[in-house]
Amino acid sequence: MNGPSPKEGALTKSLMEELRRQNTFEDEETIKNREVVLGRMVALVKNFVFAVSKSRGMSDVVARASGGKIFTFGSYRLGVHGPSDDIDCLLVVPKHVSRDDFFATFLPMLQEAQGVTQVTGVPEAYVPIIKSKISGVEVDFLCARLRLSSIPDDLELADDNLLKTLDERCVRSLGGPRATDEILRLVPNVEVFRDALRCIKLWARRRAIYSKVMGFFGGVAWAMLVARICQLYPNQAAGAIVSRFFTIMHQWKWPQPVLLKPIGDGPLGVKVWNPKLYPKDRLHRMPIITPAYPCTSGKVESKLHQLVLKLEFVESLKLAHPYVKGIERVAHCINDEEVSEVAFNRISDAIINRTQEEAAKESGYRTVSTTAFYIGLAISPKQRGAVGPQKLDITYPTNEFKRICKQWELFDPSVMDLHVTHIKNAQLPNWVFEGGVRPEPKASKRTKPTKTSPTSQSSDLSDMMQRLSLTGSSAPVAAVTPKSTPKPRRARARANTT
């Protein structure tokens, strides 16, 4: 197959310049900071395994030889992370270290580590996780225990036999690094793949459709879609891959699955994606199958996604579209009235500008941590001939959402609460927008899409680059705000929405 034409090469160069202008690459200082953080975590994991091994009665020599290793995965491992992206890490530990040790021993060790400012453990998650912030970098930790007495530094995870006798949570935790490494192995040109994926990620984020837990494609799914186009056009430059991506994905015959390689069997008696055998798999409308065994579609049913699905059945709603990220804030309140206001996501400038040191001097000091999720609601136009005001009743879906969240076994009503409020676009606080600045409304006309072919892609790429150069924020109009009603001093808690 022929390589890129001179025109496509020039467009690829322009595309890369635009991606740099959009700040999708890290500078040297940020890169070095991430490397330093990871270096500390590598040492911390070995100390963690050593401490647990000693508690099991092992000698210093045997405990130190037990090892322990960190594997990165996701956008960082793929080489497409940006300045604000997190690092996904998997801790691989020997058989005498348990998941309970991960939360009971590693978590407090992490809290005391240099540069750590936030640590939150979620042991009951589908894939148990510890979320943290270290020297300004968000780092998520998973843990998998192998049936090995020690974990050497040169361990690789490609061997399917490593999965034998592991529990389901360990198999799921290992799935991230194994899938990421397999994607990189299956693309014909890694650099072209990375450049094209950076562009697609930016496009998806600008359109608020980049979130696995919200029911959209997550990072791995977008990566596999781009990887498939790279396989179909192995000699093309990034610009041509991006342009062909939109053409082919627009014409894809869903629910035909996207596969990077044939689905194979492995050493475990576990379920792999197979719509011929499993009725639930036949319900997947846009299946994208992970390339590492056991092959799955990676579908996630979060509580927020379930709320969105229920809202779409409300009679007077045309569309419910969630904003893909929760907005976390910490408010230093000095009385019960301020706590109540923060609980409903009404945070005044006085609270925003108050420091913890200033608030701590007051007798009614509380620290309240909140996470706000926004769902945009498009209301159906009023029917011709309809009399009276149009009604919007979302009581049932929102009450069901709150009921499900409060059934979480760790939900503590003494320090947690959950509110769903309906607000108009004009009432959104400025701090939900990028940089805290509300964008000016823009009037734009949508052009009717035209059918294109892979042989005429240059104008498509130019149009896409122009769209990418537009900065703006989606404007959600409904807020879902878990809040903490804390005890005296500090209590950090939130409703579990995943």
Side-chain angles (χ1 to χ4, degrees), residues 335-346:
N335 54 51
D336 291 340
E337 183 181 351
E338 287 189 348
V339 170
S340 179
E341 289 294 298
V342 170
F344 284 91
N345 210 35
R346 297 190 291 263

Side-chain angles (χ1 to χ4, degrees), residues 14-318:
S14 298
L15 173 64
M16 298 312 298
E17 291 173 353
E18 181 62 33
L19 290 177
R20 290 186 175 89
R21 281 194 293 270
Q22 296 294 333
N23 195 33
T24 63
F25 293 89
E26 290 185 313
D27 56 32
E28 289 298 323
E29 183 179 352
T30 307
I31 293 173
K32 185 176 180 180
N33 183 48
R34 286 182 184 264
E35 292 173 349
V36 170
V37 167
L38 281 175
R40 291 184 200 147
M41 294 304 102
V42 168
L44 183 65
V45 169
K46 292 187 178 297
N47 290 337
F48 158 59
V49 174
F50 176 80
V52 174
S53 301
K54 288 290 292 180
S55 72
R56 302 287 192 269
M58 298 180 180
S59 66
D60 286 0
V61 174
V62 175
R64 190 61 68 187
S66 296
K69 185 175 180 179
I70 278 185
F71 291 86
T72 60
F73 61 101
S75 61
Y76 186 81
R77 176 70 181 93
L78 289 172
V80 295
H81 58 287
S84 61
D85 288 341
D86 62 4
I87 302 178
D88 296 308
C89 293
L90 172 69
L91 277 60
V92 176
V93 296
K95 59 184 180 182
H96 58 272
V97 179
S98 69
R99 187 175 296 108
D100 289 340
D101 296 321
F102 178 55
F103 290 99
T105 303
F106 179 74
L107 189 150
M109 291 177 68
L110 180 62
Q111 289 175 321
E112 299 300 321
Q114 179 183 353
V116 175
T117 55
Q118 296 177 16
V119 177
T120 304
V122 191
E124 75 290 341
Y126 183 71
V127 179
I129 187 172
I130 294 177
K131 304 178 75 68
S132 67
K133 194 167 188 177
I134 309 169
S135 299
V137 180
E138 293 183 5
V139 185
D140 293 344
F141 294 97
L142 309 182
C143 184
R145 175 174 62 170
L146 299 184
R147 298 301 180 185
L148 301 174
S149 58
S150 64
I151 304 298
D153 290 340
D154 61 353
L155 175 72
E156 298 295 336
L157 301 177
D159 185 0
D160 292 345
N161 290 311
L162 289 173
L163 305 178
K164 287 182 177 179
T165 72
L166 300 186
D167 64 34
E168 288 188 9
R169 287 186 170 185
C170 283
V171 172
R172 288 196 291 263
S173 297
L174 287 163
R178 283 167 52 82
T180 302
D181 289 348
E182 193 69 359
I183 291 171
L184 292 174
R185 188 185 69 82
L186 291 169
V187 294
N189 186 314
V190 173
E191 290 306 315
V192 169
F193 163 73
R194 285 171 172 165
D195 292 342
L197 181 54
R198 281 187 185 275
C199 179
I200 299 304
K201 281 183 61 176
L202 176 62
W203 172 84
R205 282 176 166 168
R206 288 286 169 83
R207 280 145 186 80
I209 54 173
Y210 187 98
S211 175
K212 184 176 180 179
V213 299
M214 295 295 185
F216 303 111
F217 292 157
V220 174
W222 288 113
M224 287 191 288
L225 292 181
V226 175
R228 185 67 187 115
I229 306 304
C230 290
Q231 289 179 331
L232 295 174
Y233 300 94
N235 300 317
Q236 292 297 328
I241 295 297
V242 169
S243 143
R244 285 163 170 80
F245 173 91
F246 289 103
T247 299
I248 292 175
M249 288 300 119
H250 175 66
Q251 298 172 352
W252 194 266
K253 303 300 182 182
W254 304 105
Q256 175 184 331
V258 175
L259 299 169
L260 299 185
K261 68 176 188 180
I263 298 174
D265 295 325
L268 305 179
V270 298
K271 175 181 177 292
V272 297
W273 190 83
N274 189 337
K276 294 181 180 179
L277 291 180
Y278 305 111
K280 284 187 177 181
D281 290 349
R282 290 197 289 270
L283 299 176
H284 295 177
R285 296 184 178 182
M286 302 178 74
I288 304 171
I289 310 306
T290 55
Y293 175 83
C295 301
T296 65
S297 67
K299 191 171 181 288
V300 170
E301 283 293 346
S302 71
K303 293 178 178 63
L304 274 172
H305 183 212
Q306 292 175 32
L307 171 61
V308 173
L309 292 177
K310 288 183 174 67
L311 287 171
E312 289 180 341
F313 283 99
V314 173
E315 185 176 354
S316 54
L317 283 182
K318 182 169 62 176

Side-chain angles (χ1 to χ4, degrees), residues 409-441:
E409 60 183 10
L410 297 182
F411 186 87
D412 183 354
S414 67
V415 294
M416 299 178 184
D417 206 351
L418 178 69
H419 295 281
V420 181
T421 59
H422 177 237
I423 60 175
K424 295 183 178 180
N425 193 2
Q427 296 172 315
L428 286 170
N430 290 337
W431 45 262
V432 307
F433 298 100
E434 186 176 354
V437 178
R438 183 184 296 271
E440 294 292 332

Side-chain angles (χ1 to χ4, degrees), residues 325-336:
K325 291 179 10 180
I327 299 175
E328 299 182 355
R329 296 189 67 84
V330 176
H332 304 293
C333 303
I334 59 175
N335 54 51
D336 291 340

